[in-house]
Amino acid sequence: MWGGRFAEGPSAIMREINASIPFDKALWRQDIMASKAHVAMLGAQGIVSGEDMAAISAGLDQVAAEYEANGVPENWDLEDIHMTTESRLAELIGPAAGRLHTARSRNDQVATDFRLWVREACANAEAGLTALQRALVTRAGEHAASIMPGFTHLQTAQPVTLGHHLMAYVEMAARDVSRFAAARARMDQCPLGAAALAGTGFPIDRAMTATALGFAEPTRNSLDSVSDRDFALDYLMAASQCALHLSRLAEEFIIWASQPFGFVVLPDALSTGSSIMPQKKNPDAAELVRGHAGRIIGSLTSLMITMKGLPLAYSKDMQDDKPPVFEAAGLLTLCLAAMEGMVAGATFRTERMRAAAELGYATATDLADWLVRQANIPFREAHHITGAAVKAAEAKGAALDQLSLAELQAIDARIDDRVFAALSVEASVAARASYGGTSPDQVRARVAEARGRLGME
């Protein structure tokens, strides 16, 4: 490839450190696609003959068929997927294959191939998130009125519904979808034709290749075109945020599946046993989703550090851009599928959830709110009165609504028997009817909206 400049070939060490074919062979479909678009443009512009254009295009189709059937061969002397494909093309059609690289460089070639791959990875993530949202919305609709404890600091705070809790993750996933969509929009420019760094003297039509590859337009600066990896970082940033959300959901399933909680029974297909303890049912899939978040975030950090000090334009460091993106994309796909299956297949033990909601004085805020509304007491004073009532209930070992009227009036005489209608967990969730609140009616309304957005009607 570059032997005319060098008297000797590369050493074994150079050969090994320089070769990227073990990982960039994953770009073979994109490489074939971009090469076909490029040679079609070269033919249309009269830069190569129609005969050579047809031979190259047909040869590329044959190479693609071989890769599809047998995989991409790894000859490290050829370094990468680009030279591997060009070498095989030359074996098939002869010297005409050498015309394919007219008016392009491996710099704009790899920038184009990688951008095509990442664009598809964004679309795949959006599809996976949509499937997860649909599973969450379906289960939320089933449990719009199923009462569970809501937590802050992992301490019982106020009763909520399971449907409301699940819909919180629908909102998180929707923001994740928007991040991947925004990343795709920002990368909607085609680098092909930027050549090594300065453009080319051939009369190419960059708009033609951009359109053929599904981009909105060509990139506007040749230096930026070959040195930009923002699109890969955008993907990894979106993937990292998505992984954080998946990890939080996984953590909740892990906690809920533990015996002290007992809120959920996870699907057998996404659980494992113990080699020594026959009673165990371990939430390994959820734990791996939680663990994989660290690896995905690590991939982002890796590429950011690689790119942070590079001058324009291309540097060989940028060969290390692909492994972290490929790893993160593979892990994210698995995590999304695992959490979709977990949500869809989980058995929620709503009786345990409701019982837990009645513990921990979850309706204490409802007592304070009742004192504000019905007795016209300032909230801070009502907060103090409610604290005293909780203390009395603790001493008795009873729930708030199990205190007698006399016991409540001993704390504050302004309390009357109307208070008991506000102290049940059902009354508590029903009262939270503000927009976006946990009342069953609000949850059902949000579920209906989400079903419409997700095309579930």
Side-chain angles (χ1 to χ4, degrees):
M1 174 177 54
W2 35 261
R5 169 66 176 81
F6 292 83
E8 297 180 5
S11 70
I13 294 172
M14 185 61 201
R15 175 177 173 272
E16 184 166 349
I17 198 172
N18 196 47
S20 59
I21 188 63
F23 54 83
D24 70 17
K25 64 184 180 181
L27 298 175
W28 73 262
R29 289 180 177 83
Q30 291 75 24
D31 197 61
I32 296 287
M33 185 191 315
S35 290
K36 289 191 68 175
H38 183 67
V39 77
M41 180 275 296
L42 293 177
Q45 293 297 105
I47 298 170
V48 302
S49 69
E51 182 181 357
D52 283 345
M53 178 191 72
I56 291 169
S57 185
L60 287 169
D61 286 337
Q62 185 172 341
V63 174
E66 291 175 0
Y67 289 170
E68 188 72 61
N70 306 314
V72 179
E74 291 188 23
N75 181 346
W76 288 19
D77 288 329
L78 295 172
E79 295 187 14
D80 56 31
I81 184 59
H82 320 299
M83 296 311 301
T84 298
T85 296
E86 187 173 326
S87 174
R88 179 57 182 150
L89 182 65
E91 291 173 354
L92 292 172
I93 69 169
R99 300 190 185 280
L100 172 59
H101 211 53
T102 306
R104 75 175 184 185
S105 161
R106 282 192 299 173
N107 293 355
D108 63 333
Q109 190 178 358
V110 69
T112 303
D113 294 353
F114 195 25
R115 193 174 288 225
L116 287 167
W117 194 96
V118 174
R119 185 176 69 179
E120 184 176 343
C122 285
N124 290 341
E126 291 173 53
L129 280 161
T130 298
L132 174 60
Q133 285 181 289
R134 287 173 174 161
L136 287 163
V137 167
T138 296
R139 301 313 303 272
E142 296 169 4
H143 293 285
S146 300
I147 294 171
M148 66 174 289
F151 300 98
T152 62
H153 308 277
L154 205 55
Q155 303 292 309
T156 299
Q158 293 177 279
V160 297
T161 66
L162 174 57
H164 189 56
H165 194 110
L166 295 175
M167 288 299 290
Y169 285 97
V170 174
E171 296 300 317
M172 295 181 211
R175 293 192 296 273
D176 290 330
V177 169
S178 74
R179 275 181 276 270
F180 285 110
R184 277 199 298 126
R186 277 192 295 273
M187 69 178 75
D188 201 16
Q189 294 178 320
C190 182
L192 194 59
L197 75 163
T200 179
F202 290 95
I204 62 173
D205 183 349
R206 293 192 62 207
M208 178 180 174
T209 49
T211 299
L213 294 172
F215 290 102
E217 59 183 348
T219 50
R220 293 185 289 268
N221 183 282
S222 60
L223 282 168
D224 180 57
S225 300
V226 299
S227 59
D228 165 42
R229 292 299 183 269
D230 293 2
F231 63 92
L233 289 169
D234 275 352
Y235 172 80
L236 289 173
M237 288 176 187
S240 294
Q241 181 62 75
C242 180
L244 291 177
H245 287 154
L246 295 175
S247 182
R248 295 182 74 179
L249 179 58
E251 170 68 2
E252 296 208 294
F253 272 86
I254 292 163
I255 293 172
W256 291 357
S258 67
Q259 281 74 22
F261 273 76
F263 286 2
V264 68
V265 178
L266 298 181
D268 287 352
L270 292 168
S271 305
T272 66
S274 165
S275 64
I276 190 172
M277 295 169 284
Q279 83 280 10
K280 294 293 293 297
K281 183 177 182 181
N282 298 325
D284 281 11
E287 290 172 351
L288 287 166
V289 169
R290 186 176 59 184
H292 287 351
R295 292 173 64 188
I296 292 170
I297 295 165
S299 295
L300 169 62
T301 303
S302 171
L303 185 53
M304 290 179 75
I305 292 171
T306 295
M307 298 300 299
K308 72 174 181 61
L310 297 185
L312 297 180
Y314 181 84
S315 297
K316 195 67 169 181
D317 314 45
M318 293 166 69
Q319 183 167 288
D320 285 339
D321 57 358
K322 288 169 281 297
V325 175
F326 292 165
E327 179 182 24
L331 292 173
L332 186 64
T333 298
L334 277 173
C335 290
L336 285 166
M339 292 316 299
E340 179 200 354
M342 205 169 301
V343 169
T347 301
F348 294 106
R349 300 180 66 189
T350 53
E351 74 291 346
R352 286 288 294 265
M353 291 182 170
R354 191 192 182 286
E358 292 182 321
L359 302 174
Y361 309 102
T363 58
T365 305
D366 297 277
L367 173 55
D369 288 349
W370 184 91
L371 289 166
V372 171
R373 286 195 305 266
Q374 302 299 329
N376 198 28
I377 297 172
F379 182 80
R380 283 299 165 206
E381 183 182 354
H383 187 286
H384 181 79
I385 294 166
T386 301
V390 169
K391 186 175 181 180
E394 279 184 329
K396 186 178 179 180
L400 274 176
D401 61 355
Q402 292 174 330
L403 292 176
S404 67
L405 180 59
E407 288 169 319
L408 289 169
Q409 289 179 332
I411 297 167
D412 193 285
R414 290 169 289 187
I415 299 174
D416 61 46
D417 60 3
R418 293 175 299 169
V419 74
F420 293 105
L423 292 183
S424 71
V425 290
E426 286 82 7
S428 178
V429 297
R432 267 63 190 180
S434 57
Y435 182 87
T438 193
S439 74
D441 286 346
Q442 278 292 315
V443 174
R444 292 185 185 102
R446 302 291 81 74
V447 166
E449 290 171 357
R451 289 180 65 87
R453 288 195 304 270
L454 295 167
M456 298 174 66
E457 301 300 336

